[in-house]
Amino acid sequence: MAQMRTPIESGVPDNRPFLHPALLKNYGRWRYHDRPRPGVLHHVAHSGDEVWSVRAGTQRQMDVYTIRKLCDIADQYAEGHVRFTIRSNIEFMVSDPAKVEPLIGALTKAGFPVGGTGNSVSMIAHTQGWLHCDIPGTDASGAVKALMDELYTEFIREDMPNRVHLSTSCCEINCGGQADIAIIVQHTKPPKINHDLVANVCERPAVVARCPVAAIRPALVNGKPSLEVDEKKCICCGACYPPCPPMQINDPEHSKLAIWVGGKNSNARGKPTFMKMVASGLPNNPPRWPEVSEIVKKILYTYKEDARSWERVSDWVERIGWPRFFEKCDLPFTKYLIDDWRGSRANLNASTHIRF
Ligand code: SF4
Ligand code: SF4
């Protein structure tokens, strides 16, 4: 008799045991959906079943007490099922419209804003930061909290021209990805090398190969094997710091923040786009990052006022042109901004060969 193949213990786990029963029953068989109010999605299945999903913002990095509180709300006011969206919003599903308002009331009372659907500013996608990653130059969650406190009303309303996705990334490698407006760490000085530690901690060939502009060379320093950086070539990307922590690039004064605009992942109404840098060298200024918030809000509200219906930020900039964008947003334009990587094939290390 044929043997059953042993399951491969990797990949995405099967989500079906955790789905709300109405979602499981009607999986892939939905007729239409609409949005009765901001923060609520209403799905109607071909079977006639209806589901209301209530979306609330969370802080993404949650302690166990907050998760228990959300689960208690799900048990008491919803039907015991929740799911998280990719932007760290939580959704509660109910199959009875009478449960929607009490659920919204309970979430609001517990401090979770209901919104983030349709043409709102959705929760900022942010990277793990110091909690979970080894190379951050700032606290992504802190900048998100400070900014979302100011954009709270844009989360609970749906009156932007189109949806607005924001992101923050706490290193230049940028696992936050493309966004309409993104806040990204920007190192402005080459790494400082602690030569006493390099030989013990770093795999030097791996570090040399990591540099995108071939600025790192092996070197003997004080009789010990170490590394040196050609500072004229270094573009301060920070890629050498993860495999070699003694090449410290984070600096309270010289690690800054930059703002990028016009990224989009979706194919809706236009092709995906890469974002471009529009402001740089902003101070990394916790706990409220006021200089960053001011520019993000200026860009956001200029877009809100000036864009046509259904234009994403990238479509709006495309229509008015970059010079007008800088004028309208009161941002200075310098030659260092809007790098679109034309010419990167010639000046970046795109092969696995080491060149000196
Ligand atoms: S943005 Fe960079 S530092 Fe922050 S979590 Fe992602 S990879 Fe780590
Ligand atoms: S990896 Fe980046 S930061 Fe490190 S030396 Fe090369 S260019 Fe400079």
Side-chain angles (χ1 to χ4, degrees):
M1 200 176 113
Q3 289 278 311
M4 289 287 284
R5 189 169 64 83
T6 316
I8 299 167
E9 299 293 343
S10 61
V12 181
D14 184 2
N15 68 342
R16 281 172 297 186
F18 310 107
L19 284 178
H20 184 284
L23 300 189
L24 187 59
K25 179 183 161 203
N26 299 292
Y27 202 92
R29 291 190 290 273
W30 299 97
R31 198 149 64 88
Y32 72 91
H33 72 273
D34 54 13
R35 297 192 309 278
R37 54 150 282 170
V40 179
L41 302 164
H42 168 226
H43 284 83
V44 180
H46 285 289
S47 66
D49 290 349
E50 294 177 73
V51 177
W52 287 261
S53 304
V54 176
R55 182 180 295 178
T58 76
Q59 63 267 51
R60 178 176 180 193
Q61 292 173 344
M62 280 184 282
D63 58 280
V64 73
Y65 301 102
T66 308
I67 294 170
R68 281 199 186 129
K69 194 189 287 178
L70 288 165
C71 291
D72 288 345
I73 292 173
D75 286 337
Q76 201 180 338
Y77 293 93
E79 291 164 1
H81 288 79
V82 296
R83 65 180 175 196
F84 282 94
T85 70
I86 54 167
R87 307 189 85 77
S88 314
N89 297 306
I90 188 167
E91 285 184 355
F92 299 79
M93 281 68 63
V94 292
S95 49
D96 177 359
K99 291 181 180 169
V100 170
E101 282 308 321
L103 175 57
I104 291 174
L107 285 165
T108 310
K109 191 163 165 235
F112 299 101
V114 171
T117 50
N119 293 355
S120 64
V121 174
S122 188
M123 176 59 189
I124 304 180
H126 75 84
T127 51
Q128 295 95 320
W130 286 315
L131 194 67
H132 214 295
C133 189
D134 57 355
I135 50 172
T138 189
D139 171 21
S141 358
V144 167
K145 161 74 178 148
L147 195 51
M148 279 317 272
D149 278 352
E150 304 205 27
L151 299 180
Y152 175 88
T153 48
E154 301 303 336
F155 179 84
I156 60 172
R157 293 196 303 223
E158 288 186 357
D159 55 6
M160 283 284 158
N162 199 335
R163 66 196 61 222
V164 180
H165 287 169
L166 276 63
S167 77
T168 59
S169 295
C170 36
C171 74
E172 289 193 3
I173 294 164
N174 173 26
C175 75
Q178 300 298 312
D180 294 291
I181 306 174
I183 301 155
I184 303 179
V185 156
Q186 179 188 38
H187 299 299
T188 57
K189 296 273 184 216
K192 288 183 198 147
I193 306 178
N194 181 340
H195 294 288
D196 292 337
L197 292 180
V198 169
N200 300 337
V201 175
C202 312
E203 234 180 277
R204 291 186 306 151
V207 186
V208 170
R210 179 73 79 101
C211 180
V213 290
I216 307 174
R217 285 187 289 256
L220 265 185
V221 180
N222 300 330
K224 281 189 182 172
S226 187
L227 297 162
E228 66 182 7
V229 171
D230 180 343
E231 297 197 351
K232 282 207 192 92
K233 278 189 183 175
C234 175
I235 55 170
C236 310
C237 69
C240 49
Y241 173 57
C244 186
M247 296 185 76
Q248 181 59 259
I249 195 160
N250 284 332
D251 181 283
E253 192 189 337
H254 301 299
S255 290
K256 307 277 193 186
L257 290 168
I259 295 178
W260 296 61
V261 158
K264 172 167 99 75
N265 293 312
S266 83
N267 280 301
R269 296 182 189 84
K271 60 186 182 186
T273 51
F274 283 122
M275 54 202 184
K276 311 273 195 291
M277 187 162 70
V278 298
S280 65
L282 306 175
N284 189 1
N285 191 5
R288 305 301 299 180
W289 289 270
E291 299 83 359
V292 171
S293 297
E294 194 189 320
I295 295 185
V296 170
K297 283 196 298 183
K298 179 73 188 163
I299 296 170
L300 187 68
Y301 289 114
T302 308
Y303 158 73
K304 185 176 182 180
E305 212 172 277
D306 200 54
R308 293 179 186 156
S309 294
W310 300 108
E311 275 182 337
R312 286 285 289 260
V313 171
S314 56
D315 304 321
W316 167 60
V317 177
E318 183 74 24
R319 176 170 60 79
I320 64 172
W322 283 108
R324 292 287 291 147
F325 168 86
F326 280 90
E327 270 168 42
K328 281 176 185 274
C329 296
D330 290 334
L331 291 171
F333 178 66
T334 73
K335 65 178 182 178
Y336 301 109
L337 302 173
I338 324 187
D339 184 358
D340 60 3
W341 294 87
R342 212 172 287 159
S344 61
R345 280 178 188 236
N347 61 25
L348 287 188
N349 182 7
S351 86
T352 51
H353 295 90
I354 297 171
R355 298 185 296 257
F356 294 110

